């Protein structure tokens, strides 16, 4: 069985998605899959996140689907019930982390400094989200952290076509999270061809 880390490393880029209408989940999933990006991190920033995840999971059972911006245990339960493969949180909340660990649900919590990395390691985590990447010092900060700690990172926040190569060049970076290939306005307007082209560009950039 392929591990989450292996899947992330193979994909190299994870689309971080805010979806406003659950009915958009299936055409969005199709645009991702058909253009070489069979993965999605659906953020719980919108009320329909769990419903969108459920629809995407049912239609595309082989997709790697994460739930992002998870802040509470209740959201963890909703995400698991909807069928996610992993949880992503913007910060490091020991209560949420432990809740996921107790349920054998992989969680990638956000960290951006040495103390948070050490707290995460103390709980047994070795895969972390570096967030918000660019405002937290970007490449230089990440290199400093990876020089000290035996963990792997998924940088997110300010990652774009302009700098993703720099992030992926760091050996400890598994993959990068990004929003540039899944802009919410294109999803809202149903412009799947335009969105597909952005996805394809991103895939070609990291392949």
């Amino acid at each position: 069985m392929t591990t989450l880390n292996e899947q992330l490393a193979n994909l190299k880029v994870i689309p971080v998605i805010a979806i406003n209408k659950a009915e958009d989940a299936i055409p969005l999933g199709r645009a991702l899959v058909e253009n070489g990006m069979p993965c999605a991190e659906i953020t719980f920033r919108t009320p329909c996140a769990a419903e969108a995840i459920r629809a995407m999971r049912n239609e595309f059972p082989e997709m790697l689907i994460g739930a992002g911006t998870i802040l509470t245990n209740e959201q963890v339960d909703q995400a698991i019930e909807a069928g996610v493969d992993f949880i992503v949180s913007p910060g490091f909340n020991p209560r949420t982390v432990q809740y996921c660990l107790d349920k054998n649900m992989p969680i990638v919590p956000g960290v951006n400094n040495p103390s948070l990395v050490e707290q995460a390691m103390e709980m047994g985590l070795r895969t972390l989200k570096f967030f918000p990447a660019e405002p937290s010092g970007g490449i230089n900060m990440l290199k400093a952290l990876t020089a000290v700690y035996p963990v792997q990172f998924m940088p997110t926040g300010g990652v774009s076509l302009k700098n993703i190569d720099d992030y992926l060049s760091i050996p400890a970076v598994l993959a990068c999270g990004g929003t540039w290939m899944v802009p919410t306005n294109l999803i809202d307007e149903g412009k799947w061809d335009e969105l597909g082209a952005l996805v394809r560009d991103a895939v070609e950039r990291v392949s």
Side-chain angles (χ1 to χ4, degrees):
M1 183 177 177
T2 306
T3 67
L4 175 61
N5 277 16
E6 288 170 337
Q7 290 177 285
L8 293 173
N10 286 334
L11 290 162
K12 295 189 178 120
V13 60
I14 308 298
V16 179
I17 301 161
I19 188 166
N20 291 313
K21 296 175 291 185
E23 58 264 31
D24 288 336
I26 291 176
L28 171 60
R30 187 173 296 113
L32 291 168
V33 170
E34 290 181 351
N35 289 284
M37 195 176 283
C39 57
E41 179 188 321
I42 305 293
T43 65
F44 269 64
R45 298 179 189 177
T46 62
C48 71
E51 188 180 351
I53 289 169
R54 189 176 298 106
M56 197 175 282
R57 168 58 69 219
N58 289 339
E59 187 72 15
F60 307 101
E62 301 304 315
M63 277 188 78
L64 179 68
I65 303 176
T69 321
I70 294 294
L71 304 176
T72 67
N73 291 354
E74 291 74 20
Q75 289 176 328
V76 172
D77 288 336
Q78 293 172 29
I80 292 174
E81 194 276 330
V84 295
D85 297 300
F86 65 104
I87 300 290
V88 183
S89 59
F92 181 77
N93 182 332
R95 180 172 176 265
T96 304
V97 169
Q98 190 60 55
Y99 192 73
C100 289
L101 294 178
D102 290 343
K103 291 180 172 288
N104 293 314
M105 172 55 60
I107 179 169
V108 184
V111 300
N112 69 347
N113 64 60
S115 295
L116 290 174
V117 174
E118 292 193 18
Q119 289 178 55
M121 290 180 64
E122 184 69 16
M123 296 187 74
L125 300 182
R126 294 296 183 271
T127 302
L128 306 171
K129 175 181 180 178
F130 180 54
F131 179 83
E134 283 294 288
S136 298
I139 299 293
N140 289 336
M141 181 62 161
L142 194 53
K143 284 182 176 178
L145 292 173
T146 59
V148 178
Y149 298 112
V151 299
Q152 293 178 295
F153 288 97
M154 183 170 71
T156 307
V159 179
S160 68
L161 278 178
K162 293 180 180 178
N163 59 20
I164 190 169
D165 290 345
D166 295 330
Y167 279 103
L168 290 174
S169 71
I170 299 173
V173 170
L174 284 171
C176 292
T179 59
W180 79 88
M181 80 298 289
V182 283
T184 301
N185 65 301
L186 292 188
I187 298 172
D188 289 343
E189 296 165 15
K191 294 184 177 178
W192 309 119
D193 288 343
E194 288 184 40
L195 189 143
L198 292 175
V199 171
R200 200 159 53 248
D201 285 346
V203 171
E204 289 172 357
R205 182 58 175 264
V206 301
S207 60

